[in-house]
Amino acid sequence: MSSHPRHPRHRSCIAIAALLSALMPCSSRAADDNAAMLRIIDNAVRPVIAEYDLPGMAVAVTIKGRAYFYNYGVASRETGQPVSEHTLFELGSVSKTFTATLGAYAQVLGKLALDDHPSRYLPQLQGRAIDRASLLHLATYTAGGLPLQVPDSVPDRAAIPAYFQHWQPDAAPGQQRRYSNPSIGLFGQLTALALQRDFTEAMQHDLLPQLGLRHTYLGVPASAMPDYAWGYDKANKPGRVSPDVYDAESYGMKSSSADMIRFVQLNLDGSALPDPVRRAVEATHVGHFDMGNMVQGLGWEQYPYPVTLARLLDGNSASMASDPHPARLLQPARIPAGPTLYNKTGSTSRFGAYVLFVPQQQIGIVLLANRNYPIP
């Protein structure tokens, strides 16, 4: 239900580094040699597909505003339906970048402030430990030790206030980062309350249309179900994600490589967006907490570019997903001054996703697969 790295193997470790370095020369020319581009993508992706027996993968690349699509395998092993740039994949925790953008949008509209505390929108939390954290802490996983997953003792959304009323932190807000679905989930819930909207309605009817993402969904409508890939577990049993507490806010988005590369392009250049949405997208590029190996912003994680493979793997390691790490507040919060790589991983039990972009190079990559394979 969330980004959950496993131990890497050599070929999967080098795949993205090789892909990114191979695309770098393309970013300085027209990049219209489709045969050369296909060789670059094939050399990076096919070994990973073979090693982990991925049923299908959709790859999208953007270079200086031009999108390229490379599709592999099938969306369904039962029907043989091929993957295309319109196939819907589960994004897992890449969904958090949309939650962050919606929160930033509410901030731009003056509906909330990142230094607000939860009880402003959820009065039941007044005086509780969680209320010492700010919305910024929730959005950056620095509230003080919220767990990776919503506990099984929280059966439904009605039980959420009681959970946070009794939660006790491991550290003061802002001292440590511990990656957490309940953390970003509560941030999303408070954002919706600030907007006086249901979260799904706010996302699907307010934000996504303004981004021009017409094939990105929290709840896939019947008309789009034929495009929804089946994901496969270790036993090759097909399935899809099930609704759960905070699924919409933390891991519930489904999208295509065509829509996701547009989202990347808007993060590279949002000048065509309505002003409030452009400012919201730009706000997700601001760094707030320094972890040493990477900087945590709203949704996106940041690295100075070029970045070493070791540093990128460290920032996306199993430890970064499951353990607390010391955090240093950046004062003031800032958009990085130099070239920067932004990335986000995501997975559900049967899908895997990875997105990255480098604004100064005007390049970006989207990888969507219908199997959960090792994130490193």
Side-chain angles (χ1 to χ4, degrees):
M1 292 187 293
S2 65
S3 297
H4 190 66
R6 301 175 185 176
H7 297 294
R9 294 186 185 179
H10 181 66
R11 282 179 289 176
S12 55
C13 285
I14 68 172
I16 296 304
L19 177 54
L20 192 60
S21 62
L23 290 175
M24 276 300 300
C26 298
S27 69
S28 61
R29 64 174 187 262
D32 55 2
D33 185 346
N34 289 327
M37 286 288 292
L38 180 59
R39 286 195 298 271
I40 291 170
I41 303 299
D42 277 353
N43 289 339
V45 169
R46 286 194 182 277
V48 179
I49 291 174
E51 182 172 0
Y52 298 106
D53 188 28
L54 305 185
M57 177 177 277
V59 180
V61 174
T62 181
I63 302 175
K64 295 189 179 298
R66 181 175 175 182
Y68 302 81
F69 300 100
Y70 306 89
N71 301 304
Y72 300 85
V74 295
S76 167
R77 281 180 162 164
E78 287 66 40
T79 68
Q81 179 180 345
V83 167
S84 80
E85 58 266 35
H86 305 299
T87 300
L88 297 176
F89 292 81
E90 294 171 8
L91 300 184
S93 284
V94 175
S95 306
K96 292 176 171 65
T97 65
F98 289 97
T99 299
T101 307
L102 183 65
Y105 179 64
Q107 180 187 34
V108 169
L109 295 179
K111 302 294 186 179
L112 63 76
L114 291 178
D115 58 2
D116 288 342
H117 292 265
S119 63
R120 177 168 182 176
Y121 309 98
L122 206 58
Q124 303 98 307
L125 302 183
Q126 178 74 43
R128 305 292 181 161
I130 190 65
D131 205 35
R132 293 197 289 269
S134 68
L135 269 63
L136 175 64
H137 294 131
L138 294 172
T140 56
Y141 324 112
T142 56
L146 286 164
L148 177 61
Q149 306 288 7
V150 176
D152 292 338
S153 59
V154 184
D156 52 38
R157 295 183 75 92
I160 287 173
Y163 167 69
F164 284 112
Q165 285 172 342
H166 294 96
W167 172 77
Q168 292 298 316
D170 299 326
Q175 289 189 353
Q176 68 177 28
R177 174 196 183 270
R178 186 176 177 187
Y179 190 68
S180 168
N181 282 348
S183 189
I184 194 73
L186 180 57
F187 174 74
Q189 180 182 8
L190 299 174
T191 294
L193 289 170
L195 291 170
Q196 298 182 318
R197 296 276 275 167
D198 172 80
F199 180 85
T200 297
E201 290 179 354
M203 183 65 73
Q204 296 203 168
H205 299 297
D206 297 344
L207 182 62
L208 295 180
Q210 294 192 77
L211 292 169
L213 303 182
R214 309 193 188 285
H215 302 284
T216 300
Y217 311 99
L218 286 170
V220 179
S223 60
M225 287 299 290
D227 291 325
Y228 190 177
W230 287 96
Y232 292 83
D233 62 16
K234 291 180 180 179
N236 280 319
K237 181 179 179 181
R240 292 167 175 154
V241 70
S242 300
D244 206 347
V245 178
Y246 280 154
D247 59 332
E249 294 86 348
S250 56
Y251 61 86
M253 198 73 78
K254 298 88 180 173
S255 188
S256 66
S257 65
D259 259 25
M260 287 306 296
I261 207 66
R262 173 175 170 80
F263 186 48
V264 168
Q265 289 174 331
L266 294 174
N267 275 272
L268 292 170
D269 179 6
S271 58
L273 289 169
D275 186 66
V277 183
R278 176 188 60 78
R279 291 165 59 195
V281 169
E282 291 174 352
T284 67
H285 299 174
V286 174
H288 291 281
F289 284 93
D290 190 347
M291 305 307 131
N293 57 355
M294 65 92 168
V295 170
Q296 180 68 62
L298 300 180
W300 300 109
E301 296 154 9
Q302 307 175 5
Y303 301 83
Y305 187 80
V307 60
T308 65
L309 175 60
R311 185 169 185 173
L312 194 61
L313 287 172
D314 190 33
N316 287 288
S317 66
S319 175
M320 286 300 295
S322 58
D323 301 327
H325 290 265
R328 179 176 65 86
L329 178 67
L330 295 176
Q331 294 181 306
R334 54 189 178 269
I335 293 179
T340 303
L341 183 151
Y342 295 81
N343 85 165
K344 187 70 190 78
T345 62
S347 62
T348 60
S349 61
R350 291 178 170 89
F351 287 80
Y354 186 55
V355 178
L356 70 81
F357 57 92
V358 183
Q360 290 81 1
Q361 299 293 335
Q362 286 293 292
I363 56 176
I365 302 169
V366 172
L367 298 174
L368 305 176
N370 52 346
R371 188 192 291 283
N372 180 340
Y373 65 103
I375 283 171

Short mmCIF file of all heavy atoms in Angstrom, two decimals, residues 149-200:
data_model
loop_
_atom_site.label_atom_id
_atom_site.label_comp_id
_atom_site.label_asym_id
_atom_site.label_seq_id
_atom_site.Cartn_x
_atom_site.Cartn_y
_atom_site.Cartn_z
N GLN A 149 2.22 2.33 8.36
CA GLN A 149 0.87 2.01 7.93
C GLN A 149 -0.15 2.39 9.01
O GLN A 149 0.18 2.47 10.20
CB GLN A 149 0.74 0.51 7.63
CG GLN A 149 1.75 -0.03 6.63
CD GLN A 149 1.48 0.41 5.20
OE1 GLN A 149 0.60 1.24 4.95
NE2 GLN A 149 2.24 -0.12 4.26
N VAL A 150 -1.38 2.59 8.59
CA VAL A 150 -2.47 2.75 9.55
C VAL A 150 -2.63 1.43 10.31
O VAL A 150 -2.74 0.37 9.68
CB VAL A 150 -3.79 3.10 8.83
CG1 VAL A 150 -4.94 3.17 9.82
CG2 VAL A 150 -3.64 4.43 8.08
N PRO A 151 -2.61 1.44 11.63
CA PRO A 151 -2.70 0.19 12.39
C PRO A 151 -4.00 -0.57 12.10
O PRO A 151 -5.03 0.03 11.79
CB PRO A 151 -2.65 0.65 13.85
CG PRO A 151 -1.98 1.99 13.81
CD PRO A 151 -2.41 2.61 12.51
N ASP A 152 -3.93 -1.89 12.23
CA ASP A 152 -5.11 -2.72 12.03
C ASP A 152 -6.22 -2.40 13.03
O ASP A 152 -7.39 -2.70 12.79
CB ASP A 152 -4.74 -4.20 12.14
CG ASP A 152 -3.85 -4.65 10.99
OD1 ASP A 152 -3.86 -3.99 9.94
OD2 ASP A 152 -3.14 -5.67 11.17
N SER A 153 -5.85 -1.77 14.15
CA SER A 153 -6.84 -1.41 15.16
C SER A 153 -7.73 -0.24 14.73
O SER A 153 -8.67 0.11 15.44
CB SER A 153 -6.14 -1.06 16.47
OG SER A 153 -5.24 0.03 16.27
N VAL A 154 -7.40 0.36 13.59
CA VAL A 154 -8.22 1.45 13.04
C VAL A 154 -9.01 0.87 11.86
O VAL A 154 -8.52 0.84 10.73
CB VAL A 154 -7.35 2.64 12.59
CG1 VAL A 154 -8.22 3.80 12.11
CG2 VAL A 154 -6.43 3.09 13.72
N PRO A 155 -10.23 0.41 12.09
CA PRO A 155 -10.93 -0.34 11.04
C PRO A 155 -11.52 0.52 9.94
O PRO A 155 -11.75 0.05 8.83
CB PRO A 155 -12.05 -1.05 11.82
CG PRO A 155 -12.31 -0.15 12.97
CD PRO A 155 -10.98 0.45 13.35
N ASP A 156 -11.81 1.80 10.24
CA ASP A 156 -12.47 2.64 9.26
C ASP A 156 -12.19 4.10 9.59
O ASP A 156 -11.57 4.43 10.60
CB ASP A 156 -13.97 2.38 9.20
CG ASP A 156 -14.63 2.45 10.58
OD1 ASP A 156 -14.23 3.31 11.39
OD2 ASP A 156 -15.54 1.63 10.85
N ARG A 157 -12.67 4.99 8.73
CA ARG A 157 -12.38 6.42 8.91
C ARG A 157 -13.02 6.98 10.17
O ARG A 157 -12.50 7.95 10.75
CB ARG A 157 -12.84 7.19 7.67
CG ARG A 157 -12.08 6.85 6.40
CD ARG A 157 -12.52 7.70 5.23
NE ARG A 157 -12.01 9.05 5.32
CZ ARG A 157 -10.86 9.45 4.76
NH1 ARG A 157 -10.11 8.59 4.08
NH2 ARG A 157 -10.46 10.69 4.87
N ALA A 158 -14.11 6.39 10.59
CA ALA A 158 -14.75 6.88 11.80
C ALA A 158 -13.86 6.71 13.03
O ALA A 158 -14.01 7.44 14.02
CB ALA A 158 -16.08 6.16 12.02
N ALA A 159 -12.93 5.77 12.97
CA ALA A 159 -12.05 5.50 14.11
C ALA A 159 -10.78 6.34 14.09
O ALA A 159 -9.97 6.26 15.02
CB ALA A 159 -11.68 4.02 14.13
N ILE A 160 -10.59 7.16 13.05
CA ILE A 160 -9.35 7.94 12.93
C ILE A 160 -9.18 8.94 14.08
O ILE A 160 -8.09 9.01 14.67
CB ILE A 160 -9.32 8.65 11.56
CG1 ILE A 160 -9.05 7.62 10.46
CG2 ILE A 160 -8.24 9.72 11.54
CD1 ILE A 160 -9.18 8.19 9.06
N PRO A 161 -10.19 9.75 14.43
CA PRO A 161 -9.96 10.71 15.52
C PRO A 161 -9.52 10.05 16.81
O PRO A 161 -8.61 10.55 17.49
CB PRO A 161 -11.33 11.39 15.66
CG PRO A 161 -11.94 11.29 14.31
CD PRO A 161 -11.52 9.94 13.80
N ALA A 162 -10.14 8.93 17.16
CA ALA A 162 -9.75 8.24 18.40
C ALA A 162 -8.31 7.76 18.33
O ALA A 162 -7.56 7.83 19.34
CB ALA A 162 -10.69 7.07 18.66
N TYR A 163 -7.87 7.30 17.17
CA TYR A 163 -6.48 6.85 17.03
C TYR A 163 -5.52 8.01 17.30
O TYR A 163 -4.56 7.87 18.09
CB TYR A 163 -6.24 6.29 15.63
CG TYR A 163 -4.77 6.11 15.32
CD1 TYR A 163 -4.01 5.13 15.98
CD2 TYR A 163 -4.12 6.93 14.39
CE1 TYR A 163 -2.66 4.98 15.71
CE2 TYR A 163 -2.77 6.77 14.12
CZ TYR A 163 -2.04 5.80 14.79
OH TYR A 163 -0.70 5.65 14.53
N PHE A 164 -5.76 9.16 16.68
CA PHE A 164 -4.85 10.28 16.87
C PHE A 164 -4.99 10.90 18.27
O PHE A 164 -4.02 11.48 18.78
CB PHE A 164 -5.09 11.34 15.79
CG PHE A 164 -4.51 10.97 14.46
CD1 PHE A 164 -5.34 10.68 13.38
CD2 PHE A 164 -3.14 10.88 14.27
CE1 PHE A 164 -4.81 10.34 12.15
CE2 PHE A 164 -2.59 10.53 13.06
CZ PHE A 164 -3.43 10.25 11.99
N GLN A 165 -6.15 10.77 18.89
CA GLN A 165 -6.29 11.26 20.25
C GLN A 165 -5.39 10.51 21.21
O GLN A 165 -4.89 11.08 22.20
CB GLN A 165 -7.75 11.13 20.69
CG GLN A 165 -8.68 12.17 20.08
CD GLN A 165 -10.14 11.89 20.40
OE1 GLN A 165 -10.51 10.78 20.78
NE2 GLN A 165 -10.99 12.88 20.20
N HIS A 166 -5.14 9.24 20.95
CA HIS A 166 -4.37 8.40 21.87
C HIS A 166 -2.92 8.17 21.42
O HIS A 166 -2.14 7.59 22.17
CB HIS A 166 -5.07 7.06 22.06
CG HIS A 166 -6.39 7.17 22.75
ND1 HIS A 166 -7.59 7.25 22.07
CD2 HIS A 166 -6.71 7.26 24.07
CE1 HIS A 166 -8.59 7.35 22.93
NE2 HIS A 166 -8.09 7.36 24.15
N TRP A 167 -2.58 8.62 20.22
CA TRP A 167 -1.22 8.42 19.73
C TRP A 167 -0.20 9.18 20.57
O TRP A 167 -0.44 10.32 20.98
CB TRP A 167 -1.14 8.88 18.27
CG TRP A 167 0.26 8.88 17.73
CD1 TRP A 167 0.98 7.82 17.32
CD2 TRP A 167 1.10 10.03 17.55
NE1 TRP A 167 2.23 8.21 16.89
CE2 TRP A 167 2.32 9.57 17.02
CE3 TRP A 167 0.93 11.40 17.78
CZ2 TRP A 167 3.38 10.43 16.72
CZ3 TRP A 167 1.97 12.26 17.49
CH2 TRP A 167 3.17 11.78 16.96
N GLN A 168 0.94 8.53 20.81
CA GLN A 168 2.02 9.16 21.57
C GLN A 168 3.28 9.19 20.73
O GLN A 168 3.67 8.17 20.14
CB GLN A 168 2.28 8.42 22.88
CG GLN A 168 1.14 8.53 23.89
CD GLN A 168 0.90 9.97 24.31
OE1 GLN A 168 1.83 10.73 24.59
NE2 GLN A 168 -0.38 10.35 24.36
N PRO A 169 3.96 10.32 20.64
CA PRO A 169 5.13 10.45 19.77
C PRO A 169 6.38 9.84 20.37
O PRO A 169 6.47 9.62 21.59
CB PRO A 169 5.28 11.97 19.63
CG PRO A 169 4.73 12.51 20.91
CD PRO A 169 3.59 11.59 21.30
N ASP A 170 7.35 9.59 19.49
CA ASP A 170 8.69 9.16 19.90
C ASP A 170 9.65 10.32 20.00
O ASP A 170 10.74 10.19 20.57
CB ASP A 170 9.26 8.15 18.89
CG ASP A 170 8.40 6.90 18.78
OD1 ASP A 170 7.82 6.48 19.79
OD2 ASP A 170 8.30 6.36 17.66
N ALA A 171 9.29 11.44 19.40
CA ALA A 171 10.17 12.60 19.37
C ALA A 171 9.32 13.85 19.21
O ALA A 171 8.14 13.78 18.84
CB ALA A 171 11.16 12.48 18.21
N ALA A 172 9.92 15.00 19.46
CA ALA A 172 9.23 16.26 19.26
C ALA A 172 9.03 16.51 17.77
O ALA A 172 9.82 16.04 16.94
CB ALA A 172 10.03 17.41 19.89
N PRO A 173 7.98 17.23 17.40
CA PRO A 173 7.78 17.52 15.97
C PRO A 173 9.01 18.19 15.36
O PRO A 173 9.63 19.06 15.96
CB PRO A 173 6.58 18.47 15.98
CG PRO A 173 5.84 18.14 17.24
CD PRO A 173 6.90 17.79 18.23
N GLY A 174 9.35 17.72 14.15
CA GLY A 174 10.45 18.32 13.42
C GLY A 174 11.82 17.73 13.69
O GLY A 174 12.79 18.08 13.01
N GLN A 175 11.93 16.81 14.65
CA GLN A 175 13.23 16.26 14.98
C GLN A 175 13.61 15.05 14.14
O GLN A 175 14.80 14.77 13.95
CB GLN A 175 13.29 15.87 16.47
CG GLN A 175 13.33 17.06 17.41
CD GLN A 175 13.60 16.64 18.84
OE1 GLN A 175 13.65 15.45 19.17
NE2 GLN A 175 13.79 17.63 19.71
N GLN A 176 12.63 14.30 13.67
CA GLN A 176 12.93 13.11 12.89
C GLN A 176 11.90 12.92 11.78
O GLN A 176 10.76 13.37 11.90
CB GLN A 176 12.96 11.86 13.79
CG GLN A 176 11.61 11.47 14.36
CD GLN A 176 11.65 10.18 15.18
OE1 GLN A 176 12.67 9.83 15.75
NE2 GLN A 176 10.53 9.48 15.23
N ARG A 177 12.34 12.29 10.72
CA ARG A 177 11.44 11.91 9.63
C ARG A 177 11.21 10.41 9.71
O ARG A 177 12.15 9.63 9.78
CB ARG A 177 12.03 12.24 8.27
CG ARG A 177 11.19 11.74 7.07
CD ARG A 177 12.05 11.76 5.81
NE ARG A 177 11.33 11.38 4.61
CZ ARG A 177 11.23 10.13 4.13
NH1 ARG A 177 11.79 9.12 4.79
NH2 ARG A 177 10.59 9.89 3.01
N ARG A 178 9.94 10.03 9.72
CA ARG A 178 9.57 8.62 9.67
C ARG A 178 8.43 8.49 8.67
O ARG A 178 7.32 8.95 8.92
CB ARG A 178 9.14 8.09 11.03
CG ARG A 178 8.88 6.59 11.03
CD ARG A 178 8.55 6.08 12.42
NE ARG A 178 8.24 4.65 12.40
CZ ARG A 178 7.79 3.97 13.44
NH1 ARG A 178 7.61 4.58 14.61
NH2 ARG A 178 7.53 2.67 13.33
N TYR A 179 8.75 7.92 7.53
CA TYR A 179 7.80 7.82 6.42
C TYR A 179 6.51 7.17 6.89
O TYR A 179 6.54 6.14 7.56
CB TYR A 179 8.45 7.01 5.30
CG TYR A 179 7.72 7.01 3.99
CD1 TYR A 179 7.62 8.17 3.23
CD2 TYR A 179 7.13 5.85 3.50
CE1 TYR A 179 6.96 8.17 2.01
CE2 TYR A 179 6.47 5.84 2.28
CZ TYR A 179 6.39 7.01 1.54
OH TYR A 179 5.74 7.01 0.35
N SER A 180 5.35 7.75 6.52
CA SER A 180 4.12 7.35 7.19
C SER A 180 2.88 7.65 6.37
O SER A 180 2.65 8.80 5.98
CB SER A 180 4.02 8.09 8.54
OG SER A 180 2.74 7.94 9.11
N ASN A 181 2.07 6.62 6.13
CA ASN A 181 0.76 6.83 5.52
C ASN A 181 -0.21 7.58 6.44
O ASN A 181 -0.95 8.45 5.97
CB ASN A 181 0.16 5.49 5.10
CG ASN A 181 0.76 4.97 3.81
OD1 ASN A 181 1.47 5.68 3.11
ND2 ASN A 181 0.49 3.71 3.49
N PRO A 182 -0.28 7.27 7.74
CA PRO A 182 -1.15 8.07 8.61
C PRO A 182 -0.79 9.55 8.63
O PRO A 182 -1.67 10.40 8.76
CB PRO A 182 -0.95 7.43 9.98
CG PRO A 182 -0.51 6.03 9.71
CD PRO A 182 0.30 6.10 8.46
N SER A 183 0.50 9.86 8.48
CA SER A 183 0.94 11.26 8.50
C SER A 183 0.41 12.02 7.29
O SER A 183 -0.27 13.04 7.42
CB SER A 183 2.47 11.31 8.55
OG SER A 183 2.93 12.63 8.77
N ILE A 184 0.70 11.52 6.08
CA ILE A 184 0.21 12.19 4.88
C ILE A 184 -1.30 12.02 4.76
O ILE A 184 -2.00 12.88 4.21
CB ILE A 184 0.93 11.65 3.62
CG1 ILE A 184 0.69 12.57 2.41
CG2 ILE A 184 0.48 10.23 3.29
CD1 ILE A 184 1.44 13.87 2.47
N GLY A 185 -1.83 10.93 5.32
CA GLY A 185 -3.27 10.73 5.31
C GLY A 185 -4.01 11.80 6.09
O GLY A 185 -5.01 12.36 5.62
N LEU A 186 -3.51 12.09 7.30
CA LEU A 186 -4.14 13.14 8.11
C LEU A 186 -3.98 14.49 7.43
O LEU A 186 -4.91 15.31 7.43
CB LEU A 186 -3.55 13.15 9.51
CG LEU A 186 -4.12 14.20 10.47
CD1 LEU A 186 -5.63 14.06 10.63
CD2 LEU A 186 -3.42 14.13 11.84
N PHE A 187 -2.82 14.74 6.83
CA PHE A 187 -2.62 15.99 6.08
C PHE A 187 -3.68 16.12 4.98
O PHE A 187 -4.26 17.19 4.80
CB PHE A 187 -1.22 16.03 5.49
CG PHE A 187 -0.97 17.21 4.60
CD1 PHE A 187 -0.79 18.48 5.13
CD2 PHE A 187 -0.92 17.06 3.22
CE1 PHE A 187 -0.58 19.58 4.30
CE2 PHE A 187 -0.70 18.15 2.39
CZ PHE A 187 -0.53 19.42 2.93
N GLY A 188 -3.91 15.04 4.24
CA GLY A 188 -4.92 15.08 3.20
C GLY A 188 -6.32 15.30 3.75
O GLY A 188 -7.12 16.06 3.18
N GLN A 189 -6.63 14.65 4.85
CA GLN A 189 -7.94 14.82 5.47
C GLN A 189 -8.14 16.26 5.92
O GLN A 189 -9.21 16.85 5.69
CB GLN A 189 -8.08 13.88 6.66
CG GLN A 189 -9.41 13.99 7.37
CD GLN A 189 -9.51 13.08 8.60
OE1 GLN A 189 -8.54 12.46 9.02
NE2 GLN A 189 -10.71 13.00 9.17
N LEU A 190 -7.12 16.85 6.54
CA LEU A 190 -7.23 18.23 7.00
C LEU A 190 -7.32 19.20 5.83
O LEU A 190 -8.03 20.21 5.89
CB LEU A 190 -6.03 18.58 7.89
CG LEU A 190 -5.90 17.73 9.17
CD1 LEU A 190 -4.61 18.06 9.90
CD2 LEU A 190 -7.10 17.92 10.09
N THR A 191 -6.62 18.88 4.73
CA THR A 191 -6.74 19.70 3.52
C THR A 191 -8.18 19.71 3.02
O THR A 191 -8.73 20.77 2.67
CB THR A 191 -5.80 19.16 2.43
OG1 THR A 191 -4.44 19.34 2.83
CG2 THR A 191 -6.03 19.87 1.11
N ALA A 192 -8.80 18.54 2.97
CA ALA A 192 -10.18 18.46 2.52
C ALA A 192 -11.11 19.23 3.44
O ALA A 192 -12.04 19.93 2.98
CB ALA A 192 -10.61 16.99 2.43
N LEU A 193 -10.90 19.14 4.74
CA LEU A 193 -11.71 19.89 5.68
C LEU A 193 -11.53 21.39 5.48
O LEU A 193 -12.50 22.16 5.55
CB LEU A 193 -11.35 19.51 7.12
CG LEU A 193 -11.79 18.10 7.55
CD1 LEU A 193 -11.16 17.73 8.89
CD2 LEU A 193 -13.31 18.01 7.63
N ALA A 194 -10.29 21.82 5.21
CA ALA A 194 -10.04 23.23 4.96
C ALA A 194 -10.75 23.71 3.70
O ALA A 194 -11.24 24.85 3.64
CB ALA A 194 -8.53 23.48 4.85
N LEU A 195 -10.82 22.85 2.70
CA LEU A 195 -11.51 23.18 1.46
C LEU A 195 -13.01 22.98 1.55
O LEU A 195 -13.74 23.32 0.61
CB LEU A 195 -10.95 22.32 0.32
CG LEU A 195 -9.52 22.62 -0.12
CD1 LEU A 195 -9.03 21.52 -1.07
CD2 LEU A 195 -9.41 23.99 -0.79
N GLN A 196 -13.46 22.40 2.67
CA GLN A 196 -14.86 22.07 2.88
C GLN A 196 -15.39 21.17 1.76
O GLN A 196 -16.48 21.37 1.22
CB GLN A 196 -15.71 23.35 3.00
CG GLN A 196 -15.32 24.21 4.19
CD GLN A 196 -16.18 25.43 4.34
OE1 GLN A 196 -16.52 26.12 3.38
NE2 GLN A 196 -16.56 25.73 5.58
N ARG A 197 -14.55 20.18 1.44
CA ARG A 197 -14.86 19.23 0.38
C ARG A 197 -14.48 17.83 0.85
O ARG A 197 -13.60 17.66 1.69
CB ARG A 197 -14.06 19.55 -0.89
CG ARG A 197 -14.38 20.87 -1.52
CD ARG A 197 -15.58 20.77 -2.42
NE ARG A 197 -15.16 20.32 -3.77
CZ ARG A 197 -16.00 19.91 -4.69
NH1 ARG A 197 -17.29 19.84 -4.42
NH2 ARG A 197 -15.57 19.54 -5.89
N ASP A 198 -15.12 16.82 0.29
CA ASP A 198 -14.63 15.47 0.42
C ASP A 198 -13.29 15.38 -0.32
O ASP A 198 -13.11 15.99 -1.38
CB ASP A 198 -15.64 14.50 -0.19
CG ASP A 198 -15.12 13.09 -0.28
OD1 ASP A 198 -15.14 12.38 0.75
OD2 ASP A 198 -14.67 12.70 -1.38
N PHE A 199 -12.34 14.62 0.23
CA PHE A 199 -11.01 14.58 -0.37
C PHE A 199 -11.06 14.12 -1.83
O PHE A 199 -10.45 14.74 -2.71
CB PHE A 199 -10.08 13.66 0.43
CG PHE A 199 -8.69 13.58 -0.14
CD1 PHE A 199 -7.74 14.52 0.19
CD2 PHE A 199 -8.34 12.56 -1.02
CE1 PHE A 199 -6.46 14.47 -0.34
CE2 PHE A 199 -7.07 12.50 -1.57
CZ PHE A 199 -6.12 13.46 -1.22
N THR A 200 -11.78 13.04 -2.09
CA THR A 200 -11.85 12.52 -3.46
C THR A 200 -12.49 13.52 -4.40
O THR A 200 -12.03 13.73 -5.53
CB THR A 200 -12.62 11.19 -3.48
OG1 THR A 200 -11.89 10.22 -2.71
CG2 THR A 200 -12.79 10.67 -4.90
#
